[in-house]
Amino acid sequence: MVSIDALTGLRDTLLGAQPDPPPLLVLLTALGALVGVVTRRPWRIARNAVTIAHEGGHALAALLTGRRLHGIRLHSDTSGLTLSAGRPTGPGMVITLLAGYLAPPLVGLVGAGILGGNRITLLLWIAVALLLAMLVLIRNVFGVLSLLVTGGLVLAISWYAPPQVQAAFAYTGVWFLLFGGVRPVVELQQLRARGRMPASDADQLAGITPFSAFFWVTVFALVNLVVLGVGGVLLAGPILTDLTG
């Protein structure tokens, strides 16, 4: 039986604020995340995290708009697919299609807000909870393995790693989602220009709205850049404090 003291200790660990991270740590994690996004080989591996957020965004939007969610598939080439049923047009479908490319930086923005309050352990545990919730929606083996590995890594770091390692991991992950929301939009337009993604989210939005696919790609890009800027300011708090102090 779990004692009250143990539960109190767990609550304090989750909800308590950790010390401010060193400004150098914030800067180095930003640079590391940026290198991971712009460098080809690391991006091919780490992009799975962006895909998880992308498909999770589709799934959450589908549920919130009353669509019937059939499941999510994550593939080894870092692509993914979220299947839902409902009206093929209308606000629910528009929101569901919009959510994919916007989800990674928006998740990063929420993470930046939590880190701004120095709730590093809380952020890691929320990430584990979201990955477990998403796991029940996965419909292929690679997707299950991908979520188990990702969730296991986050859980292990949150449970066993010292505070500085937790901070470095959390900041790198949030920076990566913020930066990583921009590159897929650029890749989307490049592939569309070559005629290789005729059924992209942007093209599907063009099919059910009066606006062109390029308009929607531009919306993705502008929103993600604004979110990157806001999230960057939140994460750079220790640096700004150090400079002004």
Side-chain angles (χ1 to χ4, degrees):
M1 185 173 180
V2 180
S3 67
I4 295 178
D5 289 341
L7 291 175
T8 302
L10 180 60
R11 182 200 63 192
D12 293 341
T13 299
L14 287 178
L15 300 181
Q18 284 78 39
D20 286 336
L24 182 60
L25 181 145
V26 178
L27 179 60
L28 290 178
T29 55
L31 292 175
L34 182 59
V35 169
V37 169
V38 301
T39 307
R40 182 175 182 181
R41 187 171 296 240
W43 172 247
R44 290 181 62 185
I45 298 171
R47 182 176 175 167
N48 280 296
V50 175
T51 302
I52 290 171
H54 179 113
E55 299 305 329
H58 281 315
L60 179 60
L63 290 173
L64 291 177
T65 57
R67 297 180 62 80
R68 296 186 302 278
L69 185 61
H70 292 320
I72 301 170
R73 291 178 176 270
L74 302 173
H75 304 132
S76 59
D77 63 355
T78 71
S79 65
L81 178 66
T82 299
L83 297 174
S84 64
R87 288 186 58 193
T89 60
M93 190 63 186
V94 170
I95 293 172
T96 299
L97 289 170
L98 267 174
Y101 280 97
L102 301 184
L106 288 175
V107 172
L109 180 61
V110 173
I114 296 174
L115 289 180
N118 290 340
R119 264 67 176 186
I120 296 169
T121 303
L122 176 62
L123 172 64
L124 297 176
W125 279 49
I126 289 174
V128 172
L130 291 174
L131 290 168
L132 287 176
M134 189 173 174
L135 184 62
V136 302
L137 302 172
I138 299 296
R139 297 295 182 264
N140 67 323
V141 174
F142 179 83
V144 170
L145 291 175
S146 181
L147 286 187
L148 287 176
V149 170
T150 304
L153 175 63
V154 178
L155 180 61
I157 289 175
S158 69
W159 195 264
Y160 297 109
Q164 290 285 42
V165 175
Q166 289 188 28
F169 181 81
Y171 271 86
T172 300
V174 171
W175 277 119
F176 182 80
L177 288 174
L178 290 170
F179 287 127
V182 177
R183 178 164 177 169
V185 179
V186 175
E187 293 176 340
L188 168 63
Q189 185 54 31
Q190 290 174 338
L191 291 172
R192 287 191 63 259
R194 299 173 196 156
R196 293 175 57 187
M197 287 192 72
S200 71
D201 293 350
D203 289 279
Q204 292 183 65
L205 282 164
I208 61 174
T209 67
F211 306 106
S212 69
F214 183 74
F215 169 85
W216 290 111
V217 173
T218 303
V219 170
F220 295 154
L222 291 177
V223 171
N224 290 359
L225 286 171
V226 170
V227 172
L228 170 59
V230 175
V233 170
L234 291 174
L235 291 176
I239 297 176
L240 299 175
T241 300
D242 187 64
L243 291 175
T244 58

